[in-house]
Amino acid sequence: MRIGYLRGFVIMVFACILSGGVPEGESNAPDRLRPKGSMAEILWVDSVFQSLSFDERLGQLFMVAAYSNKDERHVNEIRKLIKEENLGGLIFFQGGPNRQARLTNLYQAEAKTPLLIAMDAEWGLGMRFDSIPDYPKAMTLGAIQNDELIYQMGTEMARQFKELDMHINFGPVVDVNSNPDNPVIGYRAFGENPEEVAKKAVAYVKGLQDHGVIANAKHFPGHGDTEVDSHYDLPVIRHSRERIEKVDLYPYQRLFDENLKSVMVAHLNIPSLDGGSGRPTSLSKPVVTDLLQNEMNFEGLIFTDALNMRGVADLYAPGLVDVEALIAGNDVLLYSMNVPKAKEEIKKAIAEGRITEAEIDRRIKKILAAKYWAGLYDRRPIKTAKLMSRLYTPKTEALIEDLYAEAITVASNKSRLLPFKQLDMKRFASLTIGGSGDVFAQYLDKYASFTHYQIDKGEGATAHEEIKEKLAGNDVVIVGLMGITNSPRRDFGIRDSDVRLIEELSRSHQVITVLFGNAYSAQFFEGNEHLVLAYENNDFTQKLVPQILFGGRAGKGILPVTVSETFVQGIGGFMEPMRRLAFGSPESVGMSTEKLNKIDEVAEKMIRIQAAPGANVLVVKEGKVIFERSYGKLEYRSSPAVTSETVYDLASITKVLATTQAVMFLVSRGELDMSKTLGDYLPELKGTNKANLILSDVMAHEAGLKAFIPHYAKTVESGRWKSEYYSDAARPGYTRPVSNEMYAVDALRDSIWHWTVESDLEARPGGASKHRYRYSDLTMYFMQEVVERVVNQPLDAFLEQNFYSPLGLTTLTFNPADKIPLAQIAPTENDVVFRKRQIQGYVHDPGAAMYGGVAGHAGLFGKATDLAVMMQMMLNKGYYGDVNLMKPGVVSEFTKRQSTQSRRGWGWDKPEPEEDEGGSAGKLAPKSTFGHTGFTGTCVWADPENELIYIFLSNRVYPDGNNKKLLREGIRTEIHDLIYEAMVD
């Protein structure tokens, strides 16, 4: 090759001298036909060209199909073509990444001239591979308003192509799809507006080509308005040239102006472009040479569409069709059916003067120049180690998620029902028609209490009547229509009976129809007042649609095509979010999945050393749940696994997510004054040592209250319950559940209150005007009484009415045993001292249990996502969705450090003030962080500086409350610090 390189250089210089600087044979050629590129490129191209015989040079014109999922016979056929015909390139179809990588290395090693490796991957590698997720289809992308995201997609595609040593992507489709009945383009097009199609196509192409991969726009001159599939016949387009230039050619010209590297010519019959010859456009010189190259000044590679398609294959025999394509002006013969035969026919055509050898040589050099641009002058074998993890990274997934999120379109929202408001005023149900909607249901449940139903497509009248009866008690029905196809001839898979069912449900319910599939299917739902287009059906769209319906994300998509009189191109647009939680990936908020995965190791250690049998860890960043994982089981022995729906006893988190919330609510409304005393609100304290305790001191744990009082000790004797206090069955006078088959006398709460009021205070330090800091459960006994006296309502009822129900929280509750299935609730301690039984579904804390399960310091249960909502409401300064619970200034006041004696706020815990200590929080948490921990092995922390929430739920007290390993090993704080380490600079 080195000798050829030097010889080529000498020949080129000599030729330039003789011809005045223009290579021999091209002195009369227009500028676009003259050599371009750097001297290094020109030298490499000429060197390779000179090293080949004419027959070998002809091989460069051909690109044939290769598969990585076929047998050895296919592999040997490709190897033979490479060796004997010196193929120019391969287009890979079905298979898998590792298999293709190995074959590419094999084929390139046997090629005399490096092969251009291509893939028809309009929506990414997933279009051809069996193990890589897709990017959104073009019509989905057409709904996106932010074209920068499409550029990012092209960029990521290019990176993936480079990992597989691929050089050409046969995308994007830039056909303007103006015909809803188009059987071959449809969802593969960006839309029907030429300007929007052009903008999307430019972003896609630039993403690829700015990062070293040749893009290929197709199907020139425009396949958008056909009702015939050119794979099976030759479509005829009868539009005027003026119309074609205005609509179909417009995106191509925009791309040509942006230096598009290649284009594919379609098999179409367009009389207005070639004088009515009847020839396919791919074989038409007026189209390929006169229009594409001379008039539109396209200088890149020109590919035929596949030459085995019936649109041309029925007209010419193998070999002959290749010659016709070359004469028309194409550079690369794609999917040739017989390469040796085609070579012979090309030589014959040269001999007959139908095409010149110089013209063939020019195209071969053009192909070689493309190889140089793609880096084939210095190619290296593909590294197959960890290839899959390199191809599909967390950043790839985050990008796909963002693309789908920006595309989902609220096409109809006539009564402004969406996003949903007043969650406590509606009864919700979902109905999935025609497929699995498990992910859809899972994410609907994260926002409100739902009942879910599912039926097949096209069910009969009996099934539809049954489902209507089941749905009768609901206000809102969200219908997810699955099984939508891309076939206009089969009505996109829409069944008349299903349309009627939705219409009938709309008469008695507020119905939101979500189409998980082709947007053209919306034509059958013309009268729907609330219609959402997801464009595709996958885990991404099923996860994202509920977020938009409930205002976790904004609705941003624009319908890219007209499907009916109502649903026209351009409808949709911005629907405001409601500051509710969204769900996404760490990379979408600048965090690292790889670093967050280290939490798994800490959780596994926790289970291994039996610090807790299981746990839930949840992280929210910038209002988005970006990490939510469950570990272990409910018990150490064989038992159900922990899931995201597992409900835990929150212990002292009750202090901040129950009692403190109520106090903040009342302070915000001027019904409670933190500078007043307990005696001001509880007259019975007058004359006691508690009367003059100031609320701010009480909430800061500086009121002199004892840490706790073991009230249960007064109700047992010699290890047995006193009969005047407890009964093993509910009966008149004994109705307060303490545990299963254990009921307290109704007056027990009054007794506990009396014992608490009579308790001694801690002595003040000599000469001090205030008590020392001492963390106390008694704080919240008193604050619960204050709240209940002010609102004249039990604490749990007040919180349910004003907080938990309006926020759509389905598990944040007291006394869950009679509300939530026990199998969903993690057990706590095997109480051998007091209750003499395993505790599950009843509060672990003995004092709270004796109080009837509703106490200011303990008793609250919940799952991680419900806690996340409460903490996000705090970061939102008292707002969440359409609910305004407290004033921003009150949130700031309660969550700041309140004293020099401790790290505490009012009710809230905080990191230690010293720089190198975290206290109960991680050491890396900013000092503005606030939250709390719970005795059962729980914690919640919110960081307003970084908009970060961390939740850890476990039942470390199972089966023994004396198990201190979770605290001793610093499990919770270690995870907290790992979260900060996962923030990407």
Side-chain angles (χ1 to χ4, degrees), residues 463-705:
H464 284 180
E465 286 302 317
E466 289 177 358
I467 201 66
K468 284 192 288 185
E469 288 180 15
K470 291 177 180 178
L471 292 168
N474 294 283
D475 304 305
V476 176
V477 178
I478 301 175
V479 179
L481 199 57
M482 314 292 181
I484 298 172
T485 71
N486 292 311
S487 174
R489 293 178 180 175
R490 293 180 174 83
D491 294 336
F492 303 98
I494 302 298
R495 304 291 178 83
D496 290 342
S497 59
D498 295 329
V499 175
R500 286 195 300 272
L501 172 62
I502 293 171
E503 290 173 348
E504 290 166 5
L505 289 172
S506 298
R507 297 187 190 113
S508 53
H509 307 270
Q510 291 179 312
V511 173
I512 296 86
T513 305
V514 183
L515 302 183
F516 287 99
N518 196 303
Y520 282 119
S521 65
Q523 64 189 273
F524 300 101
F525 301 92
E526 181 80 7
N528 277 47
E529 292 191 355
H530 307 102
L531 185 72
V532 177
L533 306 177
Y535 297 96
E536 301 179 42
N537 182 19
N538 52 48
D539 286 355
F540 288 105
T541 55
Q542 289 195 28
K543 175 180 176 181
L544 288 163
V545 168
Q547 299 179 50
I548 291 170
L549 296 181
F550 283 90
R553 293 177 185 255
K556 297 182 180 180
I558 297 286
L559 182 61
V561 292
T562 295
V563 303
S564 68
E565 290 184 6
T566 299
F567 302 122
V568 297
Q569 186 267 328
I571 68 168
F574 192 75
M575 185 178 77
E576 288 277 358
M578 294 189 66
R579 301 176 74 180
R580 292 193 178 113
L581 285 177
F583 296 81
S585 64
E587 278 67 21
S588 68
V589 291
M591 296 187 72
S592 166
T593 295
E594 182 179 2
K595 292 182 179 179
L596 285 173
N597 285 341
K598 294 180 181 178
I599 294 173
D600 294 353
E601 299 173 15
V602 180
E604 289 162 6
K605 171 189 173 183
M606 174 195 75
I607 296 166
R608 185 174 65 253
I609 66 174
Q610 295 197 342
N616 270 325
V617 179
L618 185 146
V619 180
V620 178
K621 181 78 165 72
E622 299 170 18
K624 187 181 291 185
V625 177
I626 51 93
F627 186 95
E628 185 182 11
R629 291 189 191 169
S630 303
Y631 302 95
K633 299 180 178 180
L634 300 183
E635 307 173 26
Y636 289 110
R637 61 174 186 255
S638 179
S639 70
V642 176
T643 74
S644 61
E645 296 300 307
T646 298
V647 172
Y648 283 93
D649 182 334
L650 304 177
S652 286
I653 289 176
T654 305
K655 293 180 173 74
V656 293
L657 293 191
T659 312
T660 301
Q661 295 293 314
V663 172
M664 294 169 72
F665 180 94
L666 295 175
V667 170
S668 293
R669 283 154 179 76
E671 298 181 40
L672 204 61
D673 185 342
M674 293 295 287
S675 65
K676 289 190 174 182
T677 66
L678 289 177
D680 290 328
Y681 295 99
L682 304 173
E684 69 269 30
L685 297 185
K686 298 294 185 181
T688 74
N689 59 0
K690 311 297 187 309
N692 295 323
L693 299 184
I694 300 171
L695 298 190
S696 60
D697 290 340
V698 172
M699 292 288 285
H701 300 278
E702 295 182 356
L705 296 172

Side-chain angles (χ1 to χ4, degrees), residues 392-438:
Y392 190 74
T393 69
K395 286 186 177 180
T396 315
E397 183 169 312
L399 174 60
I400 295 174
E401 177 184 277
D402 286 345
L403 288 163
Y404 279 117
E406 297 266 336
I408 293 168
T409 302
V410 180
S412 179
N413 190 21
K414 292 182 180 176
S415 61
R416 297 189 178 274
L417 177 64
L418 303 175
F420 291 116
K421 306 162 190 71
Q422 296 181 311
L423 302 183
D424 55 336
M425 304 296 289
K426 296 179 176 68
R427 292 163 296 177
F428 291 93
S430 79
L431 172 62
T432 303
I433 301 176
S436 171
D438 293 346

Side-chain angles (χ1 to χ4, degrees), residues 659 662-663 666 783-792 795:
T659 312
V663 172
L666 295 175
M783 294 311 299
Q784 177 184 1
E785 290 292 334
V786 169
V787 168
E788 292 183 341
R789 205 67 59 87
V790 171
V791 302
N792 194 30
L795 178 64

Side-chain angles (χ1 to χ4, degrees), residues 124-149:
L125 302 179
M127 183 172 173
R128 300 300 172 186
F129 286 152
D130 53 17
S131 49
I132 300 286
D134 296 341
Y135 291 101
K137 310 297 189 298
M139 187 167 290
T140 310
L141 300 176
I144 295 173
Q145 299 188 65
N146 179 9
D147 295 334
E148 172 61 24
L149 277 176

Side-chain angles (χ1 to χ4, degrees), residues 1-284:
M1 183 66 75
R2 182 177 298 275
I3 294 172
Y5 188 123
L6 293 174
R7 182 179 63 192
F9 176 73
V10 172
I11 291 171
M12 183 199 69
V13 172
F14 186 64
C16 287
I17 292 171
L18 290 177
S19 61
V22 180
E24 184 179 1
E26 296 184 359
S27 58
N28 296 319
D31 286 344
R32 65 176 178 80
L33 301 183
R34 292 175 183 162
K36 298 290 195 302
S38 66
M39 181 61 71
E41 176 187 318
I42 294 169
L43 291 174
W44 185 85
V45 168
D46 193 68
S47 173
V48 174
F49 181 82
Q50 296 296 338
S51 72
L52 302 176
S53 68
F54 183 65
D55 193 75
E56 289 172 332
R57 292 173 190 171
L58 287 180
Q60 294 299 292
L61 299 169
F62 298 91
M63 180 172 279
V64 302
Y67 298 78
S68 59
N69 64 349
K70 288 193 175 183
D71 58 17
E72 195 66 22
R73 178 180 176 183
H74 170 74
V75 173
N76 289 333
E77 287 173 352
I78 298 298
R79 293 174 69 186
K80 182 179 179 182
L81 284 171
I82 291 170
K83 289 180 178 179
E84 296 182 2
E85 307 300 339
N86 196 36
L87 283 179
L90 300 173
I91 173 172
F92 271 102
F93 286 94
Q94 282 76 22
N98 284 288
R99 287 168 284 165
Q100 180 172 310
R102 289 192 293 270
L103 285 175
T104 299
N105 285 339
L106 171 67
Y107 295 150
Q108 290 284 24
E110 294 187 344
K112 180 176 181 179
T113 308
L115 296 157
L116 275 174
I117 304 296
M119 182 176 279
D120 189 359
E122 297 164 19
W123 49 88
L125 302 179
M127 183 172 173
R128 300 300 172 186
F129 286 152
D130 53 17
S131 49
I132 300 286
D134 296 341
Y135 291 101
K137 310 297 189 298
M139 187 167 290
T140 310
L141 300 176
I144 295 173
Q145 299 188 65
N146 179 9
D147 295 334
E148 172 61 24
L149 277 176
I150 299 174
Y151 177 84
Q152 292 175 24
M153 184 192 77
T155 299
E156 183 64 5
M157 273 189 186
R159 186 193 66 79
Q160 292 172 317
F161 266 56
K162 288 289 189 181
E163 289 284 0
L164 286 163
D165 192 28
M166 294 197 297
H167 317 105
I168 303 173
N169 184 11
F170 286 113
V173 169
V174 296
D175 302 319
V176 178
N177 199 76
S178 53
N179 188 338
D181 294 326
N182 195 320
V184 67
I185 304 301
Y187 67 95
R188 297 167 62 197
F190 292 118
E192 69 179 36
N193 183 302
E195 179 63 32
E196 289 300 316
V197 170
K199 287 165 57 180
K200 267 53 177 182
V202 167
Y204 187 123
V205 166
K206 280 182 168 290
L208 286 172
Q209 294 189 171
D210 285 355
H211 300 89
V213 171
I214 296 170
N216 182 275
K218 59 187 185 184
H219 306 82
F220 186 86
H223 210 315
D225 190 8
T226 65
E227 294 183 18
V228 174
D229 187 341
S230 55
H231 291 85
Y232 306 106
D233 203 348
L234 185 64
V236 179
I237 297 177
R238 301 192 182 279
H239 291 307
S240 68
R241 178 166 180 134
E242 180 183 13
R243 192 269 187 192
I244 291 170
E245 288 177 349
K246 183 179 178 181
V247 175
D248 299 291
L249 295 182
Y250 178 79
Y252 288 97
Q253 190 63 68
R254 285 280 301 275
L255 288 171
F256 298 166
D257 294 342
E258 297 288 349
N259 196 29
L260 175 70
K261 295 293 182 184
S262 75
V263 73
M264 178 184 290
V265 184
H267 307 313
L268 302 167
N269 178 3
I270 309 180
S272 64
L273 295 185
D274 71 350
S277 70
R279 291 174 66 85
T281 47
S282 54
L283 308 183
S284 170

Side-chain angles (χ1 to χ4, degrees), residues 432-449:
T432 303
I433 301 176
S436 171
D438 293 346
V439 174
F440 187 43
Q442 177 188 347
Y443 279 86
L444 288 172
D445 283 337
K446 292 182 184 296
Y447 290 98
S449 179

